[in-house]
Amino acid sequence: MTSYLTKILEKYKLQENLEWQVDEKRESIINEMKNITHENYYSALFAFMDLTASKDKKFIGTINNNGFVIRKRIKPFDFMPIMAKVTAEFKNVDGKTKLIAKVNGMRIILLVIRLIISTLLCLLVLLVVIESLIPPIGEVNPFPDLLILVFITTIFVLIPLLLGQRNVRNMKTELNKIFE
């Protein structure tokens, strides 16, 4: 089930797998990441704690010898923060070290919630259209109800989808600046 949902995330560009060939030693990359990362809990739930992080730190997360889990630090008055989570690990492939990262713009549980909301809204649209076609009630104009449902769909489904895609794009750009 999760592989199917992961394919949906990848299809809609809410999750992306990245790979870099690391020419430097693993320790130097880990030290570089530690220099720009504040060691703290990476969950977006505690994003208000980012204000206590030092100003020269770009990311929040945990880093160890096997890889790291980070997200971008939220700054004061940052109205469009990048909330994508990056999970990366070092792998030895053909005697060379590769950094394999997964950038997540939306968690699977949030995707399931959005799919449920979309399904319920589609059923409501169907009911509004059927209600407008029934003869005794058919004189009612369905367009205001449909506009309200389109507005709700935009707020709860479309905007989070676009924000997740933006977060993945921006985090990918940030990581490419560091590792290339």
Side-chain angles (χ1 to χ4, degrees), residues 40-99:
N40 205 345
Y41 193 67
Y42 56 86
S43 173
L45 183 63
F46 299 108
F48 65 91
M49 297 293 286
D50 291 357
L51 301 176
T52 63
S54 120
K55 294 183 190 275
D56 62 337
K57 304 295 184 181
K58 202 173 200 176
F59 299 106
I60 303 288
T62 57
I63 300 170
N64 58 26
N65 290 333
N66 298 329
F68 54 86
V69 178
I70 60 171
R71 67 171 169 80
K72 183 112 189 240
R73 177 178 173 256
I74 297 175
K75 298 174 185 169
F77 304 110
D78 193 2
F79 297 112
M80 295 291 283
I82 300 173
M83 298 301 288
K85 182 176 90 170
V86 179
T87 307
E89 61 182 335
F90 293 101
K91 291 207 175 183
N92 290 325
V93 179
D94 300 329
K96 297 179 182 178
T97 305
K98 286 191 175 188
L99 181 65

Side-chain angles (χ1 to χ4, degrees), residues 135-151:
I137 311 171
E139 291 85 30
V140 176
N141 188 3
F143 293 112
D145 297 335
L146 292 176
L147 287 176
I148 291 170
L149 290 173
V150 167
F151 179 72

